[in-house]
Amino acid sequence: DQQVKQNSPSLSVQEGRISILNCDYTNSMFDYFLWYKKYPAEGPTFLISISSIKDKNEDGRFTVFLNKSAKHLSLHIVPSQPGDSAVYFCAASESLIMRFGAGTRLTVKP
Amino acid sequence: GAVVSQHPSRVICKSGTSVKIECRSLDFQATTMFWYRQFPKQSLMLMATSNEGSKATYEQGVEKDKFLINHASLTLSTLTVTSAHPEDSSFYICSASWHGRETQYFGPGTRLLVL
């Protein structure tokens, strides 16, 4: 069962513009949400997270928004840089058990 | 901080042999370690969760006798793929966290190819 969904397999953005990656979930028991960045043949790298009691968390160019009523979260990257090109995984956690979305491949064009 | 290593990074083996993959937390004590599997262009699928000194908890559909997990210390967990078959070929990734922390830190992964 896909409890975490990333419906856009890919996204292409111009350098300097905003990248918005979206994620939806179905399990209302998830209480912690994370975004990971992944390059081919490497493990995911933690980017940013948010607790279910918050609706926004910002860290530099990365901001995660959580809309619990819609069971939706998003990652904003601004300004986007070519080095941001990677696959981004959304993850949701319940009692420390994490479920991942299928990933969105972000390409930032110079 | 929060560095996790995996060894080997890639392994090729013959069908029927067993392969052991090590996962180490280098700069923290990992009270919980997780093993994931990723098929090409797919998401990470949790295989099992292991707490130091306890038996691993396997996800539904994961054969515990085939995928042996040991978490003998706070810095080391091992995954042994027993009697490997070509369908076991995949990318195996471990992660680790410490007590109460939601964030998991991932190793670089191990590419297994079974011929």
Side-chain angles (χ1 to χ4, degrees):
Chain A
D1 62 341
Q2 274 195 299
Q3 297 184 53
V4 181
K5 296 181 183 179
Q6 291 176 258
N7 292 319
S8 297
S10 64
L11 173 68
S12 183
V13 171
Q14 204 68 33
E15 181 180 7
R17 307 295 287 266
I18 185 171
S19 294
I20 300 176
L21 298 111
N22 293 302
C23 178
D24 298 290
Y25 62 95
T26 57
N27 185 350
S28 58
M29 299 301 291
F30 287 137
D31 54 12
Y32 202 76
F33 304 88
L34 309 93
W35 284 94
Y36 285 85
K37 178 179 179 180
K38 187 179 182 299
Y39 295 109
E42 293 185 12
T45 303
F46 170 72
L47 271 179
I48 193 169
S49 61
I50 187 168
S51 164
S52 60
I53 62 173
K54 295 186 176 180
D55 54 20
K56 178 183 175 181
N57 188 25
E58 190 173 351
D59 183 3
R61 296 185 298 115
F62 302 93
T63 303
V64 56
F65 294 92
L66 176 63
N67 183 334
K68 280 195 301 180
S69 61
K71 294 191 177 69
H72 177 84
L73 70 156
S74 60
L75 174 68
H76 292 207
I77 307 173
V78 55
S80 302
Q81 300 172 353
D84 295 329
S85 297
V87 177
Y88 288 78
F89 286 95
C90 158
S93 174
E94 175 192 358
S95 302
L96 302 180
I97 301 299
M98 202 179 293
R99 306 294 177 190
F100 284 82
T104 297
R105 178 175 300 280
L106 173 65
T107 303
V108 181
K109 297 180 178 178
Chain B
V3 179
V4 178
S5 70
Q6 262 182 261
H7 178 80
S9 58
R10 57 181 62 197
V11 57
I12 301 173
C13 68
K14 291 182 179 180
S15 185
T17 61
S18 294
V19 175
K20 180 186 281 189
I21 303 170
E22 292 186 350
C23 176
R24 294 181 186 271
S25 57
L26 299 184
D27 53 359
F28 66 99
Q29 293 187 321
T31 49
T32 307
M33 284 185 163
F34 305 82
W35 286 95
Y36 294 83
R37 183 174 180 178
Q38 186 186 25
F39 291 103
K41 298 184 180 180
Q42 293 190 28
S43 183
L44 286 79
M45 301 300 295
L46 179 65
M47 297 175 67
T49 303
S50 72
N51 293 298
E52 185 263 340
S54 303
K55 286 186 178 180
T57 301
Y58 289 81
E59 291 294 294
Q60 192 173 11
V62 178
E63 299 175 60
K64 61 181 180 181
D65 293 331
K66 180 166 186 62
F67 298 99
L68 300 179
I69 291 171
N70 184 280
H71 190 171
S73 77
L74 285 172
T75 59
L76 173 65
S77 176
T78 59
L79 167 67
T80 301
V81 184
T82 62
S83 186
H85 288 99
E87 57 265 30
D88 298 325
S89 298
S90 189
F91 191 55
Y92 293 87
I93 310 175
C94 74
S95 70
S97 66
W98 58 92
H99 188 72
R101 284 278 308 221
E102 294 278 1
T103 304
Q104 295 176 24
Y105 296 91
F106 285 82
T110 298
R111 171 77 58 195
L112 170 64
L113 177 60
V114 184
L115 301 176

